[in-house]
Amino acid sequence: MSGTLQFSRKGLKPAFECSLGTHLDKYTAGYLRYSTNFRLQETEDSFMLREEDSGMCTMVVRNTERYQTTASLQFGIPYTYAMLAHTWKLPEKKRKFRGALKVGTFGAILEYGVEEKISEHSSLGA
């Protein structure tokens, strides 16, 4: 559970997030998350707290030595989407290849990339 308070030119922006997670087996975990963002606005005679966006997300992650797969489904305002991501790990070369597809009310997004560990504390990605 976490919360933030952000200051902006348009007023205060409080946010709240709550997560639950559990291990389903040795390599698989499941998560449930609720998040919401508000805006505190001043009117002539009072303050008004208005919800800007919120969402409930469920996620299943399978993480092994050779790959990581994530499937996620979010129902929210203004965005509802489904996401599937897969990362291939090459530990002997210290390299990872990643691909992801996100489809929702905003359209579709295809992501891809590669990351290589160049030292103990740094990596290079594209």
Side-chain angles (χ1 to χ4, degrees), residues 8 14 34 38-39 41-42 61-62 68 76-77 82 88 100 105 109 112 116 123 125:
S8 70
Y34 174 75
F38 297 96
R39 176 156 323 264
Q41 294 178 325
E42 185 177 359
V61 179
R62 179 140 178 103
Q68 177 179 332
I77 299 172
W88 294 269
T105 56
I109 299 172
Y112 56 91
E116 185 164 346
S123 58

Side-chain angles (χ1 to χ4, degrees), residues 44-57:
E44 290 180 12
D45 56 348
S46 66
F47 290 97
M48 182 174 72
L49 188 63
R50 185 173 56 97
E51 187 175 30
E52 286 193 327
D53 58 61
S54 65
M56 179 69 85
C57 177

Side-chain angles (χ1 to χ4, degrees), residues 38-101:
F38 297 96
R39 176 156 323 264
L40 185 65
Q41 294 178 325
E42 185 177 359
T43 62
E44 290 180 12
D45 56 348
S46 66
F47 290 97
M48 182 174 72
L49 188 63
R50 185 173 56 97
E51 187 175 30
E52 286 193 327
D53 58 61
S54 65
M56 179 69 85
C57 177
T58 183
M59 184 176 0
V60 176
V61 179
R62 179 140 178 103
N63 192 5
T64 68
E65 292 180 15
R66 305 291 298 171
Y67 67 89
Q68 177 179 332
T69 302
T70 303
S72 176
L73 184 61
Q74 174 167 326
F75 296 103
I77 299 172
Y79 300 116
T80 296
Y81 64 86
M83 191 254 319
L84 183 62
H86 189 78
T87 301
W88 294 269
K89 302 175 186 177
L90 303 174
E92 61 277 356
K93 294 185 179 183
K94 298 180 183 177
R95 193 174 294 154
K96 295 179 187 178
F97 295 98
R98 182 177 190 275
L101 177 64

